Amino acid sequence: VGLDYDTAVSFLAGQNLNLNPLPKEEHSDTVPEGKIIRTDPKKGELLEEGQTIKLYVSTGPIIKTAKVPNVIGLNMATAKNVLAQSGFNNVEFKPVASDKKEDDVVDINVTIGDDIDVTTKIILYISEGPAETQPPEKPTDPPASSENTVRRA
């Protein structure tokens, strides 16, 4: 238990009992992929010559996937909720310059519609809003006439 498959087979061969290892695959959230989870018969049980030993090899955790929903154009809070409803909870927000409404999603780092692992980090690029423009300056009034203006006769 805990060994990789090849090491376990070598160990069994070294017992000089002509044992027959039989690999079986099984998911495990705690045992890394490729390592032995358990054996049948169990560790410590007496073995007979020529006996078949089942070696349960971890394939790693079950990977849950979901389709990436289209959240472009949604506001940040709504987009986060839509992603959470699909199982995506590893969401990060990055502000970007955009002429779109402030807090709206303008881009995403994964492909919309793809089935991906729900633990994948999703980055939503959020609009900082249109750049503020200064109102045009009022044209200045023409200078007031002065008494020193030359009058023509």
Side-chain angles (χ1 to χ4, degrees):
V1 176
L3 301 174
D4 62 60
Y5 178 76
D6 290 336
T7 303
V9 169
S10 293
F11 174 80
L12 293 174
Q15 301 305 303
N16 296 320
L17 291 173
N18 197 28
L19 299 171
N20 298 309
L22 178 64
K24 298 281 189 178
E25 291 186 341
E26 192 172 276
H27 290 291
S28 173
D29 290 332
T30 57
V31 178
E33 184 176 352
K35 301 289 183 181
I36 304 298
I37 300 169
R38 60 190 172 92
T39 62
D40 183 17
K42 293 181 176 147
K43 181 179 177 182
E45 291 184 21
L46 291 177
L47 302 175
E48 297 176 13
E49 187 166 343
Q51 184 174 358
T52 297
I53 310 294
K54 292 179 186 170
L55 300 174
Y56 291 85
V57 182
S58 174
T59 57
I62 295 175
I63 297 174
K64 184 177 178 207
T65 64
K67 188 175 282 202
V68 177
N70 185 357
V71 294
I72 304 293
L74 300 178
N75 70 44
M76 189 167 61
T78 302
K80 185 174 182 177
N81 287 337
V82 167
L83 288 166
Q85 288 171 1
S86 293
F88 299 103
N89 293 305
N90 188 5
V91 180
E92 187 178 301
F93 302 99
K94 291 205 175 185
V96 293
S98 169
D99 61 351
K100 301 296 182 192
K101 193 170 102 185
E102 186 176 0
D103 289 336
D104 278 2
V105 177
V106 295
D107 202 0
I108 187 169
N109 71 319
V110 293
T111 304
I112 294 166
D114 277 3
D115 275 319
I116 64 170
D117 181 340
V118 295
T119 63
T120 301
K121 181 193 285 186
I122 294 181
I123 301 172
L124 298 179
Y125 296 92
I126 307 299
S127 174
E128 293 177 325
E132 290 187 27
T133 56
Q134 297 295 326
E137 290 186 27
K138 268 181 140 178
T140 55
D141 292 329
S145 54
S146 142
E147 290 182 25
N148 293 336
T149 305
V150 177
R151 295 183 193 210
R152 293 192 180 197

